[in-house]
Every structure is written in C-alpha cells, then in structure tokens.
Amino acid sequence: MTDGTMTGEPQTIRLSTEGADLLLLAGAGDANLSELQKLFPVRVTLRGDAMTLVGPAETVEKAGSVATRMIDQARQGQPLDPDDVLRFSLEGAPRDGGTPGRIVLPGVRKIIQPKTQGQGEYMQKLMEHEIVIGIGPAGTGKTYLAVAAAVDALARKRVRRIVLARPAVEAGESLGFLPGDMQAKVDPYLRPLYDALDDLMPPERVARALETRVIEIAPLAYMRGRTLADAFVILDEAQNATNAQMKMFLTRLGVNSRAVITGDKTQVDLPKREESGLLQVERILQGIEGIAFHYFTEVDVVRHRLVREIVAAYAKDAGT
C-alpha cells in the first residue's frame, strides 16, 4: 500500500511481523492497513516478515505504536478489524508494559482478553479486589468481562457458585401485570446475563448449572434476607438499584465471596435520580481497602464504531 499524504522529512520504521497471521493483520482487502494510513499520514507496506512505515518522524512514531499492537493481536490469532485499529489509535501507547488480563475458558475454546487498555485495567482489578465497581457507557464490556471472570473463578473452584442479579426497575419490581409465570416475567430483564453465559460456557453446562443452582440468575429483589458465601456475585445495571437495595446487596456477601457491580450513570431509570444506589456508593465507598472503582469511557466501547461515536456525542451534549 503506497497511499498516505506526507509532509516534512520522511522517516522509516520497520516492524517485524514474524509469527503474526498476515491475513488477520492486513484485514479483508487490506482494510486494517488502509485504516492505519487514514488515521496517520504514513505510507504502509507489508511484505514478508516486516511492516514498514514511512512518514514524518512524530507521525511514524505514533503509527508505529498502533502497528505494534496490531501485530501483537495478529500473533495471538485474535480477530482484528478497522475498529480495533481506530481504538488503538485513540488509546495511544500502552502504559506499564502493555494491557493486562487474559482468561482461558474450558469447553468453549475461548480466550477472553482485553480489547482496550481500560478493559485490561478492569480485568486486573477483577483479579485483585473483593469488590469491583465498574462504571461507564454501554458497549464497554463491563458485564461481559465480569461474567467471564466469574465463570473462570467457578472453573478453577475458587467459588462454588455464581449469582447474577439485575434490578427489574422497568417493571417497577412488581412485575404482576406481565404475562406468564414469574420466570417468564423476569426473563426479559435478565436475558443479557443469559446471553453472556451462553457465549462463555457450553450450552449443556449452562443448563446443568442453572438446574443445580450452581449458577443463579434473579432479580435484585430476590437477594433480600440471604447470605452469599463462596460465591461470585454480579449486580448488573446497578444505576437502577435504589440506595436501600444497594445496601442490601452489599451486605449479602459472605465468606470467600467476590462482588462486581456494573452500571451506567447516564441511564438511570429510577423516578428520582438521586436515589440511585450506584451514585451513592460512588460517594461513600471510595478509598476502602478491597474495593476498587473502574471508569470506562467511549474509548473502551467495543461494539460498532457508531456506538462509540454516539456515546461521545451524548457525553458532549451533557457537558454543554
């Protein structure tokens, strides 16, 4: 590829691609290389076991940082598309020697690893803290990565069960007016949790775990009065838990339990926003040993690139 407009004295960087899947690296129709050239005024050439970048010194250095991450991902055999290239450019060079965190799940031939630096830092906190509170916009992997960590902990016998909860605030927690039995009433609100499990475990294992209650998925209101020991507990959509419900949830934790709370402060559906338990714990639990907060931004959105731009547009509008 030889497009890319350059200004200033050109500089050349040659990066080894040895061990990388070159088809993954280049992308369909060289789309990944085209994206790199679109983001930076450099000329990109991929031949043999090397990628060559030519352009102004400062620009080549930035492009080289992104290209290095592209090559690393292709070496691991992980999918790579223009969205990933754009995300790498938005994040800049990795700090502290790279992006931490990698989960290998048995039975599904799946390797879970961060697609952004923010996700990597979140996964590190999931491994190191008893309670992690992940706050940020949709599409950042808050819940998916938490469920992956829970499945990994269960597979390694670090916990004996997984409990996944969500407030069913859209139905006012009463749910009585919805058709069907109680399970049918709450399933629509819990479906994203089922979807994550289905992607991370073999279907027959999910079914067996649900049947034996090794994995439990329930509305938050069902947690009242229980003690959850030897469990990995996740509260999703926590911005819609009231202050009282959040306190109830946090005080359910027993011996050898871990908890992850995820939510988006911009999507509170409660009648009074100030009653959101997520906003309260953000105020009162900072600085407690064993509790970690992690904040995602639009840079961490790993869905369609338009989702990232939509999140950024709403954030900009909220700031005006």
Side-chain angles (χ1 to χ4, degrees), residues 5-15 36 39-44 51-68:
T5 303
M6 293 183 291
T7 59
E9 190 67 26
Q11 178 173 323
T12 301
I13 290 181
R14 188 175 185 274
L15 302 171
L36 185 60
L39 294 168
F40 303 97
V42 297
R43 185 168 62 248
V44 182
M51 180 189 291
T52 303
L53 310 177
V54 182
E58 184 179 350
T59 305
V60 163
E61 185 176 341
K62 292 178 181 177
S65 175
V66 173
T68 298

Side-chain angles (χ1 to χ4, degrees), residues 68-288:
T68 298
R69 296 188 65 178
M70 293 168 61
I71 293 167
D72 286 344
Q73 189 148 322
R75 281 194 178 115
Q76 295 165 12
Q78 295 299 306
L80 181 68
D81 60 29
D83 267 5
D84 295 313
V85 179
L86 174 61
R87 192 157 48 242
F88 295 159
S89 73
L90 292 171
E91 291 178 340
R95 297 187 298 270
D96 301 327
T99 305
R102 195 168 189 248
I103 297 173
V104 181
L105 296 176
V108 289
R109 295 183 179 180
K110 201 173 192 71
I111 298 174
I112 306 300
Q113 55 188 16
K115 292 187 175 181
T116 72
Q117 188 165 312
Q119 285 191 347
E121 293 168 356
Y122 178 61
M123 291 177 72
Q124 195 73 33
K125 290 173 183 175
L126 291 176
M127 290 187 284
E128 295 175 351
H129 294 82
E130 293 166 277
I131 297 177
V132 176
I133 300 169
I135 298 174
T140 52
K142 302 184 299 293
T143 303
Y144 185 84
L145 293 175
V147 175
V151 172
D152 181 58
L154 184 66
R156 294 175 182 272
K157 301 189 185 305
R158 292 173 178 167
V159 296
R160 294 191 331 192
R161 57 179 169 159
I162 297 172
V163 179
L164 309 175
R166 261 189 164 202
V169 68
E170 298 91 339
E173 287 282 3
S174 63
L175 304 168
F177 65 89
L178 294 173
D181 60 17
M182 184 55 67
Q183 193 63 45
K185 293 173 190 294
V186 301
D187 267 0
Y189 305 101
L190 305 176
R191 177 49 50 190
L193 298 174
Y194 284 105
D195 290 344
L197 278 177
D198 288 341
D199 194 50
L200 295 166
M201 296 176 66
E204 65 279 2
R205 194 173 297 172
V206 173
R208 187 166 61 250
L210 290 169
E211 184 179 344
T212 58
R213 299 182 72 80
V214 170
I215 297 178
E216 181 180 355
I217 304 177
L220 175 59
Y222 286 24
M223 299 295 107
R224 192 173 301 278
R226 302 178 60 186
T227 299
L228 302 173
D230 288 315
F232 199 117
V233 191
I234 298 173
L235 173 58
D236 190 33
E237 297 289 337
Q239 75 275 3
N240 289 326
T242 65
N243 292 337
Q245 287 175 329
M246 182 66 77
K247 181 181 179 182
M248 177 270 291
F249 172 80
L250 287 168
T251 54
R252 297 309 92 203
L253 295 181
V255 177
N256 192 42
S257 284
R258 307 177 76 84
V260 181
I261 297 167
T262 66
D264 180 353
K265 294 190 296 182
T266 69
Q267 297 195 37
V268 177
D269 296 319
L270 295 169
K272 294 183 179 179
R273 189 175 187 274
E274 62 272 14
E275 292 181 353
S276 169
L278 182 63
L279 300 182
Q280 184 183 49
V281 296
E282 186 184 22
R283 291 195 308 271
I284 68 176
L285 298 186
Q286 299 275 4
I288 296 179

